[in-house]
Amino acid sequence: MSVNTQLSAPLVSVIIPTYNRPNYLQQALQSAVNQTFKNIEIIVCDNCSDVNPLPIVEAFADERIYFFRHPQNIGMVANIISGFVIARGKYVASLHDDDMWEEDFLAKLIPPLEANSDLAVAFCDHYMITTDGQIDDVLTQECSRVWKRADLKAGIHQPFYQIAVENMSIASANAAVIRKDIIDWEVIPLEVGGSYDLYINYLCSRSGMGAYYHPEKLTRYREHEIKDTMTDNPQINIRKGKNHLFCYEQFINDERIKDIHPHCQQRLIEVHHYLGMNLLKAGQPEAAIAHFKYVLQRKRLSLRAIAALLFAFIRSLFISKLLGEKGYVTEERKQATLA
């Protein structure tokens, strides 16, 4: 990129949320600093890590980097969104502290946005890497196929709510650049939780604007055992399920994306089933029942849901009987007595 082009280039805000991953943070920062597109501000938002990562930031001695440390842990989503709120750029891009960008990521995604003011977002494909940073070719290809980027046509897509919400092709957490002013970042609900990137995709797509897809793999997404995406812990899965439930309940009520309401309704069924199963695993059969009932009412032949509902109901009766025999008073019985 020429000097004159750089001088007239728009400001891009790079948001790097971080928490307790100093080694990965250094790598993510390095990939941001190395961008061939130079007119950037890099906003590092630390969610009150056990060890302050300020020395890592200061070691770069780069005046484009701004460091913000929350005095207490405010939660993952609030930490991420705080960076978007204070960003000054015309465009914003998220880079999680354990991911990395190729050096021409911004250089290849900013020009399409600048050339067409009717684009909300530009995004690309990405590599999958191991904990030690090695590219996993098999997983990379599988990821591109699953999220339907492998055969996605390069160029402009408008409307793109099917790509954004139904196919979830846009990895807005690490592989997208967004026109900042199309989203009111201060009112994103915290209930979206770990599904915040899906919710951002939804907000971009419902704008009526377009999306630009660049098929090259310009970023690297790290998979490791401590990510929520890699766990079978029922408590974590319950949290994830509730996040998805909140999102799809919002989507199903938005007429601007009514063409994919059937997909959203199907996803709601799947999420209720997922929540029910994980509530059972967590020893909460009474809470699971409502989710299985939802599935049964909308999916007549769900034998697995029927079996799980019966199991939850029988277990709930058994526990209630056991507590009753031991003289415990449940909250429901207490309320009935007070009434």
Side-chain angles (χ1 to χ4, degrees), residues 16 18 25 29 42-49 51-58 62-70 86:
I16 304 182
T18 187
L25 172 62
L29 262 172
I42 303 171
I43 302 172
V44 180
C45 298
D46 177 53
N47 197 19
C48 196
S49 294
V51 177
N52 192 331
L54 179 59
I56 295 173
V57 175
E58 291 180 330
D62 192 318
E63 61 182 11
R64 298 173 301 170
I65 303 177
Y66 300 88
F67 178 74
F68 298 90
R69 177 175 167 85
H70 297 288
I86 63 178

Side-chain angles (χ1 to χ4, degrees), residues 123 152 157 159-170 201:
F123 68 105
L152 185 61
H157 298 265
F160 67 99
Y161 39 74
Q162 183 177 28
I163 291 172
V165 178
E166 183 171 338
N167 298 339
M168 294 190 286
S169 302
I170 305 174
N201 290 349

Side-chain angles (χ1 to χ4, degrees), residues 70-137:
H70 297 288
Q72 60 186 18
N73 191 306
I74 62 173
M76 178 191 72
V77 180
N79 183 45
I80 293 170
I81 298 304
S82 69
F84 286 111
V85 170
I86 63 178
R88 299 178 299 123
K90 181 178 181 180
Y91 304 108
V92 291
S94 169
L95 173 60
H96 281 197
D97 64 353
D98 57 342
D99 298 328
M100 293 182 288
W101 288 344
E102 304 301 303
E103 65 178 16
D104 54 353
F105 168 67
L106 292 177
K108 289 185 174 178
L109 292 189
I110 296 300
L113 290 167
E114 281 291 274
N116 189 337
S117 61
D118 200 30
L119 291 179
V121 60
F123 68 105
C124 63
D125 203 355
H126 62 78
Y127 294 107
M128 300 293 290
I129 60 175
T130 59
T131 54
D132 60 358
Q134 300 300 309
I135 293 175
D136 186 326
D137 290 321

Side-chain angles (χ1 to χ4, degrees), residues 35-259:
Q35 290 296 296
T36 57
F37 185 97
K38 299 300 183 183
N39 194 23
I40 62 176
E41 63 172 7
I42 303 171
I43 302 172
V44 180
C45 298
D46 177 53
N47 197 19
C48 196
S49 294
D50 295 338
V51 177
N52 192 331
L54 179 59
I56 295 173
V57 175
E58 291 180 330
F60 281 89
D62 192 318
E63 61 182 11
R64 298 173 301 170
I65 303 177
Y66 300 88
F67 178 74
F68 298 90
R69 177 175 167 85
H70 297 288
Q72 60 186 18
N73 191 306
I74 62 173
M76 178 191 72
V77 180
N79 183 45
I80 293 170
I81 298 304
S82 69
F84 286 111
V85 170
I86 63 178
R88 299 178 299 123
K90 181 178 181 180
Y91 304 108
V92 291
S94 169
L95 173 60
H96 281 197
D97 64 353
D98 57 342
D99 298 328
M100 293 182 288
W101 288 344
E102 304 301 303
E103 65 178 16
D104 54 353
F105 168 67
L106 292 177
K108 289 185 174 178
L109 292 189
I110 296 300
L113 290 167
E114 281 291 274
N116 189 337
S117 61
D118 200 30
L119 291 179
V121 60
F123 68 105
C124 63
D125 203 355
H126 62 78
Y127 294 107
M128 300 293 290
I129 60 175
T130 59
T131 54
D132 60 358
Q134 300 300 309
I135 293 175
D136 186 326
D137 290 321
V138 174
L139 190 57
T140 294
Q141 293 177 17
E142 177 68 7
C143 180
S144 296
R145 184 190 64 80
V146 168
W147 304 117
K148 301 186 185 301
R149 290 187 295 266
D151 299 318
L152 185 61
K153 182 180 177 182
I156 297 174
H157 298 265
Q158 189 174 8
F160 67 99
Y161 39 74
Q162 183 177 28
I163 291 172
V165 178
E166 183 171 338
N167 298 339
M168 294 190 286
S169 302
I170 305 174
S172 53
N174 79 316
V177 180
I178 301 169
R179 194 178 299 274
K180 188 193 176 186
D181 63 6
I182 67 164
I183 293 178
D184 186 348
W185 300 95
E186 297 191 59
V187 299
I188 293 180
L190 297 182
E191 289 88 347
V192 301
S195 301
Y196 85 92
D197 51 345
L198 172 62
Y199 197 80
I200 287 175
N201 290 349
Y202 153 69
L203 294 177
C204 288
S205 66
R206 78 171 188 179
S207 68
M209 301 172 74
Y212 181 90
Y213 176 57
H214 186 93
E216 278 188 85
K217 295 175 176 61
L218 301 175
T219 72
R220 304 186 180 205
Y221 178 92
R222 194 186 308 265
E223 276 287 4
H224 49 81
E225 59 185 10
I226 62 173
K227 275 198 172 179
D228 281 0
T229 52
M230 299 291 287
T231 184
D232 194 37
N233 183 309
Q235 294 300 336
I236 292 177
N237 290 338
I238 289 168
R239 185 178 71 236
K240 287 162 54 181
K242 289 180 178 179
N243 297 156
H244 273 83
L245 190 65
F246 177 86
C247 288
Y248 285 104
E249 286 177 344
Q250 301 296 307
F251 303 164
I252 203 74
N253 291 314
D254 192 335
E255 286 299 308
R256 286 167 288 192
I257 60 170
K258 62 182 179 181
D259 288 354

